[in-house]
Amino acid sequence: MRFLKREGVFCRTCALASFRDMQADTMVLGWWGPLSVLITPFTLLTNLSALSGIRRIPEPVAPGFRPPLDPGKPVFRRPAGILALIPVGLLGLAVLAFTVLLAIGLVAGGSDSADHPTLTVGSCARNDAAWPEQDLEPESCDSSDAELRVTAPADGSCPAGAYLAYLKYSEDGSTSLCLRPLKS
């Protein structure tokens, strides 16, 4: 990785020629290093601020002691500029893929119901953890493993001897459910 800079007094035409040469070189050669992949896009954008400064330089009115440089073709009409579209396109695709995957993860990952079974009023369950922790699993009410009957709370609270289930076990994740022990 290296950073090059051309300094001097340039007319508009010479400055534009130098800018186009250096920008084309950066677009082709700037990507070939582990950190360069991250730094090159910022370098290319920073160079655009130099281009805005070049455009503010007035056109030469009188020829100097030597002829001005040929600015050549614009950067994206040169072979180097066209070749540079490959890493720029790949970087753009990587950013797009990351953004899409992040959005999918946020949308799909927002629901916690896949991690926990849902319980409904009237069904039975067993707790695979020691109280007061809850690791509830649905169980057939006819099964000998069934420990709890799921009921709806009366007046917002569970009856004496019943437990309040974590909200994550309800179908919508926000409804309170009571767990009444089946065995005394």
Side-chain angles (χ1 to χ4, degrees):
M1 180 186 319
R2 63 185 183 157
F3 293 92
L4 300 176
K5 186 176 188 179
R6 285 193 188 151
E7 294 181 353
V9 179
F10 295 100
C11 68
R12 181 178 185 175
T13 307
C14 293
L16 185 60
S18 294
F19 169 80
R20 287 179 176 174
D21 287 340
M22 293 185 77
Q23 187 78 338
D25 288 345
T26 302
M27 291 177 79
V28 172
L29 302 174
W31 305 96
W32 304 108
L35 290 177
S36 298
V37 171
L38 302 173
I39 294 172
T40 298
F42 295 106
T43 303
L44 293 171
L45 291 173
T46 303
N47 289 350
L48 291 179
S49 67
L51 180 61
S52 67
I54 291 169
R55 290 190 174 145
R56 288 192 300 261
I57 299 172
E59 287 287 337
V61 288
F65 60 92
R66 61 181 169 186
L69 297 173
D70 178 19
K73 295 178 182 177
V75 175
F76 284 109
R77 290 193 184 151
R78 297 172 181 223
I82 294 169
L83 183 64
L85 291 177
I86 294 170
V88 171
L90 291 175
L91 185 65
L93 283 175
V95 169
L96 179 66
F98 176 77
T99 306
V100 167
L101 291 175
L102 182 65
I104 290 171
L106 289 175
V107 170
S111 173
D112 209 18
S113 63
D115 296 339
H116 306 288
T118 57
L119 302 174
T120 56
V121 174
S123 67
C124 293
R126 73 175 190 279
N127 185 15
D128 292 336
W131 289 100
E133 295 300 317
Q134 295 180 16
D135 183 13
L136 301 176
E137 291 293 329
E139 197 65 54
S140 170
C141 291
D142 298 338
S143 170
S144 61
D145 292 334
E147 301 172 342
L148 307 159
R149 166 105 35 195
V150 181
T151 61
D155 301 326
S157 63
C158 294
Y163 304 101
L164 182 63
Y166 293 157
L167 293 176
K168 65 183 178 185
Y169 292 107
S170 67
E171 287 183 298
D172 61 3
S174 62
T175 303
S176 296
L177 297 172
C178 294
L179 303 170
R180 184 178 50 85
L182 292 174
K183 302 169 187 161
S184 302

